[in-house]
Amino acid sequence: QVQLVESGGGLVQAGGSLRLSCAASGSTSGIIVMNWYRQAPGKQRELVAGISRSGTINYADSAKGRFTISRDNAKNTVWLQMSSLRPQDTAVYLCYAKGGPSLSWNEYWGQGTQVTVSS
């Protein structure tokens, strides 16, 4: 099993920056992909950015050029550096991990961290 704990959310003014962290514990060697999702009130959960164990990265169009995802496999941590934040970035940001065959391809979610961007 894998446990995910996010941190780093908070209140920031538009144009500001925040760095989110997601620390994984448990059977972390079985994780093949770690993603950041977000969910705003009344909206569907959406993928923000993802990074594979080998380092392949993808971003949502809304994140390109403003957000950077990175990963330290040795520390079992993934970060999301967010810059030029906009009020529409306000959401609960959730860390997600996809397990490989050793984890029976299970999916894991953190509890989320609130990001609020004021105008």
Side-chain angles (χ1 to χ4, degrees):
Q1 295 299 310
V2 171
Q3 296 78 41
L4 304 172
V5 178
E6 303 99 329
S7 61
L11 173 64
V12 64
Q13 288 188 333
S17 299
L18 279 176
R19 189 190 195 205
L20 306 183
S21 299
C22 174
S25 60
S27 302
T28 57
S29 62
I31 296 173
I32 57 174
V33 172
M34 293 187 75
N35 295 337
W36 284 99
Y37 285 80
R38 68 185 182 187
Q39 187 161 20
K43 294 188 176 182
Q44 288 189 333
R45 187 172 295 182
E46 62 174 350
L47 176 67
V48 177
I51 184 167
S52 71
R53 192 169 189 87
S54 62
T56 301
I57 290 173
N58 65 286
Y59 294 103
D61 287 343
S62 59
K64 289 178 182 176
R66 300 188 301 127
F67 295 1
T68 302
I69 189 170
S70 59
R71 179 174 179 172
D72 187 327
N73 291 332
K75 295 181 179 180
N76 298 315
T77 300
V78 63
W79 295 274
L80 184 67
Q81 177 68 48
M82 305 186 294
S83 303
S84 302
L85 284 163
R86 307 163 180 165
Q88 53 264 45
D89 293 318
T90 295
V92 175
Y93 283 71
L94 302 114
C95 183
Y96 162 94
K98 172 71 173 180
S102 66
L103 291 172
S104 302
W105 307 101
N106 284 335
E107 299 178 324
Y108 306 91
W109 291 91
Q111 81 289 351
T113 186
Q114 177 70 46
V115 171
T116 303
V117 184
S118 63
S119 57

